[in-house]
Amino acid sequence: MKKFISIILAITLTISMSASVFAQGIHNPATCENEPVIIVRGMDFTGLYYDVGTENERPVLSVDVGKIISTVFKSVFMGIFSLNFDKSLDVICDYAVQLLGGLSMDKNGDSLYNVGVIKCPGSVAEHPELLERGDCEFGMVKSCAEKYGADHTYYFTYDWRLDPFVVAEEINETIERACEETGHDKVKIACASMGGVMTLAYLTEYGYDRVSKVLFLSSTFCGIQMPSELMQGKVKFEGQAIADIATYAVKDIPVVNVLLQLLEKAGLFDFAEKIADIIIDKTMDKVSEEVLIKILSYMPVMWALVQPQDFDKCIEYTFGDCMEENAGFINRVTKLQNMMNGRNELLYEMIDNGVDIAVVSNYGSPSIPVYESASKFCGDMVLEAHQTSGYATIAPYNKTLGDDYVAENPKYLSPDRMVDLSTAILPEYTYMIKQAPHVSCSYGTDYNAFFMWLLDYSGDNFKAGVNPDYPQFMQSNTNEELFKF
Ligand SMILES: [Zn+2]
């Protein structure tokens, strides 16, 4: 009798399990319209760890406010006590090296220490913790998991210091895994910020056979202005750039805004620039030798971001006296510049062969005021829109291109006359969104709905403005609501 009951129970259980499989529907890639989405995130500055996966795992950048304060005091004290500014600088440089030293690379451009990131192999179904947040890339993850299934959503993390071709290898593994696990032949890639240059390396190295769509969101696919200037020693806190960022910070407080304009007229920011110049003149050699060159120069990714017209000058400035000694590294990063120089042709070829591409660039905020020409660029407070848009012509912060500016193609001039997409590499496929924060895409926002529409669209004509709800030029606010001009 016992045996009989067990058999009946086993049969019932089997039937109920298969019934639930039928209820959910067995996934059939031939009929499923949802290709897996690979989200290549942006740079996670604090996401690097020593000895990942071991009991010694610990963050590389652990900012200790107490330590910073005590270092500043120590340095001021040393300066006053010894009447020697260099001593103060020694203390600050030592601390900076100690703080950032874990990021150091060896002279080949590989990590000096056992440093890495926490990876999420497999789909989001295996990493439900990724659904707990909803900002930026996590907003993309959450809405993709909701719409296409967590088992069709992949979140890719990487060590942002590395050679993009090394990261490309890992992107390739993730894409191959996604195809194998879901049974689909192709994927869609959404790459944000630093993810742009990494995705470009993947496409350059592995081609686009596996890719049906690429979204470049606030991305580095055309490099960044800042490293181009820093790598030539053009560190500068320029008066206009400081004024721009101060004005931007208080733009919603009219009284302070008026006060700032008065200060600007009185030349306060030019005065700040002069003080900064004196400090930089005195410190730059030491800071650049001890901190910048030691840590930044051997990060291969920086050399992919440098603008092609500045590459030789940057190499000369950084390695001028020791070219031979660094020949291996220079050879390595030259390949990255070749990749950037081949980008346009590759993207045009992809479009001709049916791959959907969209570029989304946010603009209308000042640039970070630490380099010489910062006030000539505007962006999204992190990256310059000139580069994230694929080289559109963009007016400086709070200015227009002028009343007499004539765009090569008038339809590419933004209604606020701040952007001319005629000069961009993919003008037909580029969206410009004024005042949107870097990357955006937070869960539940208009911006996120726009992102999902870009991913979803499967018509023939994937050109900016094909959907009247999402024109080529849009405006946003800090809540990522979208408005038409
Ligand atoms: Zn599917």
Side-chain angles (χ1 to χ4, degrees):
M1 190 58 187
K2 247 189 197 167
K3 201 176 175 185
F4 179 71
I5 293 176
S6 322
I7 291 170
I8 295 290
L9 275 176
I11 291 172
T12 321
L13 195 66
T14 314
I15 292 172
S16 67
M17 273 178 67
S18 34
S20 88
V21 168
F22 282 119
Q24 285 170 19
I26 296 170
H27 175 249
N28 178 1
T31 53
C32 169
E33 285 176 1
N34 301 327
E35 285 164 345
V37 180
I38 314 290
I39 294 152
V40 182
R41 65 154 298 139
M43 169 188 190
D44 185 0
F45 190 66
T46 55
L48 297 173
Y49 294 84
Y50 290 111
D51 303 323
V52 176
T54 71
E55 57 181 17
N56 289 326
E57 181 178 301
R58 60 204 187 280
V60 172
L61 294 161
S62 48
V63 177
D64 178 345
V65 177
K67 187 79 196 280
I68 292 175
I69 294 171
S70 76
T71 304
V72 170
F73 270 107
K74 191 174 163 196
S75 112
V76 170
F77 178 75
M78 294 282 285
I80 294 170
F81 186 72
S82 60
L83 293 175
N84 182 351
F85 189 62
D86 289 345
K87 285 243 166 76
S88 306
L89 199 60
D90 282 345
V91 174
I92 290 182
C93 279
D94 285 350
Y95 180 63
V97 169
Q98 198 188 327
L99 186 74
L100 302 171
L103 300 177
S104 301
M105 312 298 276
D106 64 20
K107 296 210 162 174
N108 291 319
D110 298 309
S111 185
L112 191 58
Y113 305 106
N114 182 25
V115 165
V117 294
I118 294 172
K119 302 205 163 143
C120 305
S123 73
V124 172
E126 292 176 53
H127 305 279
E129 71 281 3
L130 293 172
L131 300 169
E132 285 164 18
R133 285 172 60 179
D135 55 312
C136 297
E137 292 91 337
F138 295 102
M140 303 176 198
V141 168
K142 207 167 168 171
S143 41
C144 287
E146 215 170 77
K147 185 140 197 195
Y148 311 127
D151 58 353
H152 278 52
T153 307
Y154 290 75
Y155 174 70
F156 179 76
T157 64
Y158 53 90
D159 181 340
W160 50 265
R161 303 167 303 157
L162 297 182
D163 184 335
F165 283 123
V166 171
V167 175
E169 242 176 272
E170 297 173 18
I171 296 180
N172 181 52
E173 284 163 21
T174 303
I175 291 175
E176 290 305 318
R177 182 175 178 152
C179 288
E180 201 184 311
E181 285 178 349
T182 62
H184 288 271
D185 296 335
K186 287 181 190 274
V187 303
K188 297 173 184 173
I189 301 177
C191 56
S193 199
M194 193 68 100
V197 74
M198 301 300 178
T199 300
L200 183 65
Y202 165 77
L203 296 167
T204 304
E205 191 71 9
Y206 295 90
Y208 49 88
D209 286 352
R210 284 291 202 198
V211 182
S212 67
K213 183 176 284 195
V214 186
L215 307 180
F216 291 102
L217 308 155
S218 303
S219 103
T220 49
F221 77 131
C222 291
I224 314 179
Q225 185 64 27
M226 187 165 31
S228 246
E229 300 201 15
L230 296 186
M231 296 295 210
Q232 296 178 65
K234 293 181 177 176
V235 178
K236 192 169 175 69
F237 296 90
E238 192 218 0
Q240 185 59 51
I242 303 170
D244 286 348
I245 205 123
T247 317
Y248 179 79
V250 299
K251 66 183 186 327
D252 299 327
I253 317 170
V255 180
V256 186
N257 211 337
V258 169
L259 188 70
L260 269 184
Q261 282 170 19
L262 289 174
L263 290 175
E264 191 177 347
K265 281 213 175 82
L268 176 86
F269 297 109
D270 293 333
F271 179 68
E273 175 183 322
K274 287 201 177 76
I275 299 282
D277 277 350
I278 293 168
I279 296 173
I280 290 170
D281 275 351
K282 240 179 140 34
T283 60
M284 202 45 218
D285 283 349
K286 193 168 178 66
V287 171
S288 82
E289 205 154 294
E290 300 272 317
V291 187
L292 284 181
I293 291 193
K294 240 185 204 167
I295 296 169
L296 280 184
S297 308
Y298 287 103
M299 285 182 187
V301 69
M302 293 298 158
W303 295 94
L305 302 174
V306 161
Q307 297 301 290
Q309 67 273 21
D310 295 327
F311 183 68
D312 290 342
K313 284 176 269 176
C314 292
I315 289 283
E316 176 63 32
Y317 178 82
T318 310
F319 300 112
D321 298 333
C322 35
M323 290 281 209
E324 248 169 66
E325 189 190 317
N326 290 292
F329 182 80
I330 294 171
N331 187 33
R332 183 176 203 176
V333 298
T334 302
K335 286 185 189 144
L336 292 170
Q337 274 295 308
N338 293 343
M339 164 184 95
M340 294 311 250
N341 289 323
R343 173 200 53 234
N344 299 3
E345 214 173 309
L346 173 65
L347 296 179
Y348 299 149
E349 187 191 312
M350 286 169 66
I351 291 172
D352 285 346
N353 285 292
V355 180
D356 282 346
I357 294 182
V359 175
V360 185
S361 167
N362 301 341
Y363 75 102
S365 308
S367 294
I368 301 170
V370 296
Y371 61 95
E372 221 169 80
S373 60
S375 66
K376 295 193 179 74
F377 290 87
C378 92
D380 58 18
M381 283 297 286
V382 179
L383 301 179
E384 299 90 358
H386 178 55
Q387 279 85 358
T388 59
S389 65
Y391 299 123
T393 303
I394 300 180
Y397 173 65
N398 244 350
K399 298 197 169 65
T400 69
L401 292 167
D403 291 339
D404 46 5
Y405 181 86
V406 181
E408 198 187 304
N409 184 339
K411 77 170 185 175
Y412 291 135
L413 185 62
S414 63
D416 61 7
R417 302 186 72 82
M418 285 182 165
V419 179
D420 173 14
L421 273 170
S422 311
T423 58
I425 58 175
L426 296 170
E428 294 173 284
Y429 304 93
T430 304
Y431 292 86
M432 299 298 307
I433 308 186
K434 190 179 188 175
Q435 294 298 354
H438 184 58
V439 181
S440 293
C441 289
S442 299
Y443 183 73
T445 61
D446 288 353
Y447 203 114
N448 185 283
F450 167 54
F451 162 73
M452 288 306 287
W453 176 80
L454 287 172
L455 266 186
D456 256 358
Y457 185 79
S458 60
D460 293 334
N461 183 16
F462 191 55
K463 288 183 179 171
V466 65
N467 179 347
D469 288 342
Y470 299 119
Q472 179 155 43
F473 297 102
M474 289 184 272
Q475 302 189 66
S476 170
N477 57 19
T478 46
N479 295 326
E480 302 178 33
E481 288 175 275
L482 294 181
F483 307 94
K484 291 177 191 171
F485 271 99

